[in-house]
Amino acid sequence: MQSLSNRFVYNANPSRVVFGTGTIESLPSEVERLDLKRVLVLSTPQQVELAEALSSRLGDKAAGIFSGATMHTPVAVTEEAMKVAAETGADGILAAGGGSTTGLGKALALRTGLPQIIIPTTYSGSEMTPILGETADGVKKTVTTPKVLPNVVIYDVDLTMSLPASLSGTSGINAIAHAVEALYARDKNPIIDLMASESIAALAGALPAISLDPGNTDARRKALYGAWLAGVCLGAVGMSLHHKLCHTLGGTYDLPHAETHTIVLPHALAYNASAIPDVIDRLRGVLGSENPALALYDLAGAVGARRALKDIGMPEDGISEACSIALSNPYWNPRPLEGEPLERLLQRAWAGSPPVME
């Protein structure tokens, strides 16, 4: 057993989770339990078929479908969905899909107070957090409030089976990023340490297996379990440099969310390594590597993910701007943020070079 701190605080967010295979069958009973009569179903344009299937499952309790969810939760899209919710008389929200749809559901819940059910189909983990990130005028801002917590999360392994292996890899490493930063959060605690370690181990083991065999049900189950735990970690403690950089890059340059996290994570961990020797020791055991930052970089390679920001749309001349934005309103971080080392970090991430612990 790990040694316990003399004193710590653990904030547990209220949630109801239904986890397993075929759990989507419980949707009508969960709607009934919440006493909902008119449920608005949310999705991205790419997952409208899933939205239609869920709407059919709801029967006369389906208020309609809004399939305009998109990454980084633009306020303009939320406003469109608000109009649909009002026009259809919705008294509840069902968000099905990845982080984009979850974000839209949270944004609607924040503004309307409507109860929400979330059915994740990726490994983002955001469904378990009281955090909402919204984008307006090219700037992504986050708010933390229990108002955006879902009433129910239904994890159905079956709904992740069709997630392409490439997307599974980046979505899963995005979840790992939540758990890694939870290990060195300012408000870390032994309970979250256990969840984070379990999450990282589950995902790091499952993702390469999914890459080799996307139909591996056991690997899919482990990945979804790991993502759930990562989401709990993200929702319970504060995040640091990694998340600040990803929010800056995503909001400013409209980069894909999960891929940005996948690329930045090894470099952010390497930047902080000298300030968190205990966490590095723990990650060595969890990842089975003397260099955890390099292990995460290699994991991205093993799942076929792109490892360079330049390959996902980041302009090289934006590196200095991104540093300035990140430094202007920084999150707490175990190592003080310094301009030149931060620029070197982003330069390596832009080029796709291996992480370097300075």
Side-chain angles (χ1 to χ4, degrees):
M1 179 183 292
Q2 66 174 353
S3 60
L4 292 179
S5 304
N6 288 331
R7 182 174 179 176
F8 63 87
V9 175
Y10 169 56
N11 288 310
N13 292 310
S15 63
R16 176 178 170 84
V17 172
V18 181
F19 186 98
T21 299
T23 49
I24 194 63
E25 295 175 3
S26 68
L27 176 60
S29 63
E30 294 300 324
V31 169
E32 185 70 25
R33 193 182 66 85
L34 293 173
D35 196 28
L36 302 179
K37 309 299 182 186
R38 301 280 295 166
V39 180
L40 178 64
V41 182
L42 309 177
S43 76
T44 62
Q46 295 78 19
Q47 291 191 294
V48 68
E49 288 187 12
L50 173 61
E52 290 171 346
L54 293 173
S55 181
S56 177
R57 189 177 288 270
L58 290 172
D60 60 5
K61 292 191 175 181
I65 296 173
F66 179 84
S67 59
T70 190
M71 63 181 184
H72 306 309
T73 319
V75 171
V77 173
T78 300
E79 290 172 347
E80 291 178 26
M82 288 273 292
K83 293 177 183 177
V84 175
E87 291 168 357
T88 59
D91 65 353
I93 301 163
L94 171 60
S100 296
T101 311
T102 298
L104 178 58
K106 288 180 171 183
L108 286 176
L110 177 65
R111 290 162 171 79
T112 66
L114 294 177
Q116 55 175 328
I117 298 171
I118 295 183
I119 303 176
T121 60
T122 69
Y123 307 128
S124 74
S126 60
E127 64 278 354
M128 295 306 299
T129 78
I131 305 166
L132 168 64
E134 298 183 287
T135 304
D137 302 321
V139 178
K140 188 169 187 177
K141 297 181 179 180
T142 60
V143 60
T144 300
T145 171
K147 293 179 180 179
V148 303
L149 282 169
N151 298 73
V152 183
V153 177
I154 300 175
Y155 289 107
D156 192 330
V157 176
D158 289 342
L159 295 182
T160 68
M161 297 302 295
S162 61
L163 184 66
S166 59
L167 292 180
S168 299
T170 54
S171 178
I173 296 176
N174 175 26
I176 289 176
H178 307 331
V180 167
E181 287 226 304
L183 288 173
Y184 55 76
R186 177 166 50 181
D187 50 352
K188 62 176 288 187
N189 62 74
I191 309 305
I192 290 300
D193 284 353
L194 291 171
M195 290 187 184
S197 299
E198 176 82 352
S199 168
I200 296 165
L203 284 159
L207 297 179
I210 292 171
S211 182
L212 291 172
D213 177 14
N216 186 327
T217 303
D218 186 57
R220 293 283 187 180
R221 183 181 298 107
K222 288 178 180 176
L224 194 59
Y225 167 71
W228 169 18
L229 295 181
V232 173
C233 293
L234 176 64
V237 296
M239 296 288 110
S240 301
L241 173 63
H242 168 80
H243 281 76
K244 180 61 180 182
L245 288 176
C246 290
H247 291 161
T248 298
L249 295 169
T252 305
Y253 304 105
D254 200 32
L255 303 185
H257 182 84
E259 289 177 284
T260 303
H261 278 267
T262 297
I263 293 167
V264 171
L265 176 60
H267 302 280
L269 179 60
Y271 181 95
N272 282 326
S274 63
I276 50 170
D278 57 330
V279 173
I280 295 299
D281 282 344
R282 177 184 282 266
L283 287 174
R284 283 174 177 144
V286 172
L287 294 172
S289 170
E290 282 300 303
N291 188 333
L294 186 59
L296 292 171
Y297 178 83
D298 290 341
L299 176 62
V303 301
R306 291 182 283 190
R307 294 186 285 186
L309 291 173
K310 66 180 181 180
D311 293 338
I312 62 170
M314 171 72 179
E316 186 174 14
D317 60 9
I319 291 174
S320 293
E321 179 187 25
C323 282
S324 296
I325 295 172
L327 289 168
S328 66
N329 184 26
Y331 296 173
W332 178 89
N333 195 63
R335 175 185 168 184
L337 300 188
E338 304 171 73
E340 290 186 6
L342 201 55
E343 285 215 23
R344 290 195 293 270
L345 179 165
L346 282 176
Q347 184 64 51
R348 285 190 288 269
W350 181 86
S353 303
V356 174
M357 291 188 286
E358 298 187 5

